Amino acid sequence: FVLLGKMSCLKMKKLERPEPPRKKNVLLRLYYFIAEILAYSVEYLVPFLRRLTSVGILFYLALGTFTLTEDNLAAQGSYVIIAGFTLSFVKASLERLIPTLLKYGLTGVYF
């Protein structure tokens, strides 16, 4: 598929960042700072951690496939399985639970 010309539906514009509250009101500045941290976490940190855990799962999958032998099965096998399950749990949490909790916290800051 080759597109010649511009598509009107794919226009991007930078969103205006709201002005932070004045220095006099410390509580509002704190709420603003917390809201920014939560918003950036949802948008940037969570996807980065998802990708990082995916790479970790692939690493332990390869580790379990290519390095396990009969001699080290008891020691290294349990380690690989526990690490794989832990990374899978973290990835599943990063898919739904963590973003939901961060958005819930962000909603709480705004209200």
Side-chain angles (χ1 to χ4, degrees):
F1 177 77
V2 177
L3 175 68
L4 300 174
K6 294 183 180 181
M7 293 180 66
S8 62
C9 62
L10 292 179
K11 291 182 181 177
M12 294 177 56
K13 74 174 189 177
K14 188 175 180 180
L15 292 175
E16 295 294 326
R17 188 170 169 210
E19 184 179 321
R22 302 281 179 221
K23 289 185 180 182
K24 293 179 183 177
N25 197 340
V26 177
L27 186 62
L28 282 179
R29 286 189 65 80
L30 179 68
Y31 283 156
Y32 183 78
F33 182 69
I34 291 172
E36 277 194 341
I37 289 175
L38 291 174
Y40 280 115
S41 296
V42 169
E43 291 295 323
Y44 298 110
L45 184 65
V46 170
F48 174 73
L49 291 176
R50 271 192 224 145
R51 289 176 182 92
L52 194 64
T53 54
S54 295
V55 169
I57 290 171
L58 288 174
F59 173 75
Y60 278 102
L61 183 66
L63 188 70
T65 302
F66 298 115
T67 63
L68 288 181
T69 62
E70 289 182 16
D71 300 332
N72 65 2
L73 182 62
Q76 190 173 356
S78 61
Y79 172 71
V80 167
I81 290 172
I82 289 173
F85 280 139
T86 303
L87 285 171
S88 298
F89 173 75
V90 169
K91 179 154 171 65
S93 297
L94 287 169
E95 289 291 330
R96 296 289 178 190
L97 179 65
I98 303 299
T100 303
L101 291 177
L102 289 173
K103 290 175 186 175
Y104 180 74
L106 187 60
T107 305
V109 169
Y110 279 118
F111 290 112

